[in-house]
Amino acid sequence: MKKIIISTLAVSALFLTTSCEHDFDTDVKDIPVTSGEADFSRYVSLGNSLTSGYRDGALYSSGQNESYPSMIAGQMKLAGGGDFNQPMMPNDIGGFNNLKDAAGNLLFPGKLELKVVNGALSPDNLPTTTALDNISAGRPYRNMGVPGAKSFHLVAPNYGSLAGLATGTANPYFVRFASSATTTVLADAMSQAPTFFSLWIGNNDVLSYATNGGTNSQTVGTVTTYSAATVQNGNLNPATYKSNDISDPNVLAGSIKGVLDGLKSVGATKGIIGNIPDVTSIPFFTRVPYNAIPLDAATAQKLNTTLYGPLKSALTFFGQGDRINPVAAGNNPVLIKDNKLTNLSAQLTAALTTAGYPLDQATFIGNAFGQTRQAKQGELILLTASKVLGLDAITNQPPTASSQFIYGASFPIGDQLSLTADEVSNISTAVKAYNVAIKGLADSYNLAFVDANTKMKELDSKAGITWNGVKYTATFVTGGAFSLDGVHLTGRGYAIIANEFIKSINAKYKSTLPQVDPNKYSGVKFPQ
């Protein structure tokens, strides 16, 4: 269970075709290319990792070359568009080897690649080889996508300060190419006086909450006191607004409005803005099912006798018997920790001691299961949980015949590795509010609009999206659209998004930019 196994049958399915039709039925490839009512001579893109071309858990050069703004800029060039300079990483691995946490772990490792381990394919980080560099001399950069940026970061001063990395107020990707330590992403975009812009921001305002299992966070709606001026100054109080919090919709809307007002002030009145997808529909949250614990009849019976039975009896005594149910042969729910549950550690320890368990064992089980329950259908197990599921919880190694506590089966995974129903609801509520605000701003500023949320839902459906006989879905690795980190797209996935932007630009500004061919871009790379 530790490894993400991809069968050869699934891999071969990547190369099967389903038809000669495709879903991009508004292509204008046979029409003369014109800019219509737009001017593409200075196109600037703003956003986060999705804009930068980030994929496979890192920003690296070949991924940047397949960023969706770069694809769009290539088509714009056919209609008078100018050069599109990107802040290129120095190699095709990515990461920074001089940025580490207090324990000495790399904060920005190299990209993920598939490797064959014990006959199974599994993603693993490549060792990063270079330190954080500074390429500000190569400005201006038209692609201003900053991995990790939330909406308010685009208007936050000092976000490109090298000194700010130590305090968490700066971002190394912006440090690389910012015009100064005190500037903002918006200011550097404004300095280029764009004739056309794209803005796709807001994913990280909820994604960091989701990818951390809703831990160390408040919930949507609790942070409502930030005025537009406060947002403009980037002074979000870290004492009340933690890094993994869901951004209040008013903060997001105020930040995006600030970006649009800034661009408008330098004459950039034509552009396109996209809404955000429901992040829980991407492979990072769908790859591992809630019932990912396969058991045979003998193992199930043993677990019921030694753990689940006594534990359920004790929990029932305290009125919490619905937390645990007996397991059976077949697929069973993952044991998760839910910090919202009443902590019954002390009560369980006492009950197990009374039942004859040695004190040390009773204490261990009591502490481990005080806030433990089985996951329910509709709740999500994060992709990162696949690294521990099935391991011995004591040794963090593959289990042996004497292993008593196995992550997911007889020992809970950490709260940061799952999303409960309440947490999924928080995410959905935030995304809906964000998208209402983004659509309202697009209409108010008379901009082209991309419904990225709907397009991602199409990818997540069984039908997926087909281009010239090749089908793309949100299935992890074999779906072709998502990279190995389960969050970001492949070159082919970014091409699908680029086409959505192009279609909306053409519809709004009467241009005839041709769409790109997703099949010509790269997908997941498999070992030779």
Side-chain angles (χ1 to χ4, degrees):
M1 294 174 62
K2 179 184 177 184
K3 297 295 182 185
I4 300 170
I5 299 174
I6 304 163
S7 70
T8 54
L9 179 62
V11 171
S12 63
L14 280 171
F15 306 103
L16 294 179
T17 60
T18 57
S19 73
C20 293
E21 302 298 322
H22 60 70
D23 291 344
F24 303 94
D25 54 3
T26 57
D27 198 356
V28 293
K29 63 182 179 180
D30 296 324
I31 300 174
V33 180
T34 65
S35 61
E37 299 172 353
D39 177 357
F40 301 133
S41 58
R42 286 191 306 279
Y43 163 50
V44 174
S45 61
L46 297 95
N48 49 39
S49 53
L50 293 170
T51 296
S52 71
Y54 192 103
R55 60 196 274 192
D56 299 320
L59 186 66
Y60 57 93
S61 57
S62 64
Q64 289 177 281
N65 285 330
E66 293 187 337
S67 67
Y68 82 84
S70 179
M71 298 177 192
I72 294 172
Q75 305 306 85
M76 287 178 171
K77 206 158 190 177
L78 302 174
D83 292 334
F84 190 75
N85 194 19
Q86 300 191 96
M88 299 299 294
M89 292 291 285
N91 56 42
D92 208 40
I93 295 175
F96 306 114
N97 62 11
N98 62 328
L99 299 181
K100 302 178 181 181
D101 62 18
N105 300 309
L106 285 175
L107 294 172
F108 301 90
K111 69 179 180 182
L112 293 164
E113 279 197 351
L114 283 176
K115 298 181 180 180
V116 179
V117 180
N118 297 324
L121 290 174
S122 181
D124 197 17
N125 291 103
L126 292 178
T128 183
T129 59
T130 57
L132 176 64
D133 55 346
N134 188 293
I135 57 171
S136 58
R139 298 177 60 254
Y141 291 108
R142 306 297 194 202
N143 189 333
M144 301 201 66
V146 181
K150 298 185 179 184
S151 59
F152 51 83
H153 287 141
L154 299 187
V155 295
N158 308 308
Y159 197 53
S161 167
L162 180 62
L165 294 179
T167 59
T169 58
N171 183 310
Y173 293 106
F174 189 46
V175 168
R176 297 183 70 236
F177 67 92
S179 63
S180 72
T182 58
T183 191
T184 67
V185 177
L186 171 61
D188 278 6
M190 290 169 57
S191 69
Q192 303 182 54
T195 60
F196 196 90
F197 69 88
S198 63
L199 175 62
W200 195 19
I201 195 70
N203 292 71
N204 289 329
D205 290 71
V206 67
L207 183 63
S208 57
Y209 172 91
T211 55
N212 286 279
T215 60
N216 187 34
S217 298
Q218 302 173 41
T219 57
V220 64
T222 61
V223 185
T224 58
T225 58
Y226 297 109
S227 66
T230 302
V231 172
Q232 292 278 350
N233 293 331
N235 296 321
L236 296 178
N237 185 352
T240 57
Y241 208 101
K242 301 179 180 65
S243 61
N244 292 337
D245 284 350
I246 294 176
S247 300
D248 185 275
N250 294 322
V251 170
L252 176 133
S255 300
I256 294 178
K257 185 178 186 302
V259 172
L260 297 178
D261 285 341
L263 293 171
K264 185 177 180 179
S265 72
V266 294
T269 59
K270 292 185 177 180
I272 184 167
I273 185 171
N275 68 6
I276 68 170
D278 188 333
V279 297
T280 58
S281 66
I282 62 180
F284 189 88
F285 303 99
T286 60
R287 169 61 178 172
V288 183
Y290 84 98
N291 59 343
I293 306 301
L295 299 173
D296 57 37
T299 302
Q301 182 178 5
K302 180 180 178 181
L303 282 173
N304 286 332
T305 301
T306 60
L307 178 64
Y308 281 73
L311 188 59
K312 184 172 179 65
S313 295
L315 288 169
T316 300
F317 180 80
F318 297 112
Q320 299 291 320
D322 59 344
R323 295 187 187 182
I324 297 291
N325 289 304
V327 290
N331 293 329
N332 291 272
V334 177
L335 285 176
I336 64 172
K337 184 176 182 181
D338 183 350
N339 284 336
K340 288 190 176 180
L341 295 177
T342 301
N343 194 334
L344 298 175
S345 295
Q347 295 92 323
L348 287 176
T349 298
L352 291 170
T353 302
T354 301
Y357 281 71
L359 179 59
D360 58 345
Q361 189 174 10
T363 301
F364 176 79
I365 297 175
N367 289 337
F369 289 88
Q371 291 179 298
T372 291
R373 63 174 175 84
Q374 290 162 315
K376 302 175 182 178
Q377 188 170 7
E379 297 184 320
L380 303 174
I381 307 301
L382 276 53
L383 183 63
T384 42
S386 63
K387 295 181 180 179
V388 300
L389 283 173
L391 294 182
D392 187 307
I394 306 299
T395 65
N396 285 320
Q397 298 296 320
T400 64
S402 61
S403 296
Q404 290 183 294
F405 298 102
I406 309 299
Y407 278 119
S410 54
F411 197 85
I413 60 174
D415 186 55
Q416 76 280 9
L417 296 177
S418 67
L419 288 171
T420 66
D422 286 344
E423 290 162 347
V424 172
S425 177
N426 290 338
I427 293 166
S428 178
T429 299
V431 170
K432 289 176 182 177
Y434 292 173
N435 285 344
V436 168
I438 291 170
K439 182 61 168 65
L441 288 165
D443 293 342
S444 176
Y445 285 79
N446 196 26
L447 300 170
F449 172 74
V450 173
D451 188 356
N453 187 32
T454 295
K455 184 53 58 174
M456 288 300 182
K457 287 179 180 177
E458 289 180 32
L459 273 175
D460 193 40
S461 69
K462 289 184 178 180
I465 295 172
T466 301
W467 177 278
N468 197 23
V470 179
K471 180 179 177 180
Y472 296 99
T473 71
T475 303
F476 185 59
V477 178
T478 58
F482 281 87
S483 71
L484 295 176
D485 59 31
V487 173
H488 299 90
L489 300 165
T490 61
R492 294 179 172 189
Y494 281 124
I496 291 171
I497 291 298
N499 282 338
E500 292 305 300
F501 275 77
I502 288 171
K503 287 193 292 184
S504 295
I505 291 170
N506 287 342
K508 179 68 175 178
Y509 298 108
K510 300 181 176 61
S511 54
T512 55
L513 301 179
Q515 295 176 49
V516 299
D517 182 352
N519 299 344
K520 292 182 179 180
Y521 293 92
S522 63
V524 173
K525 181 181 179 181
F526 289 86
Q528 298 296 321

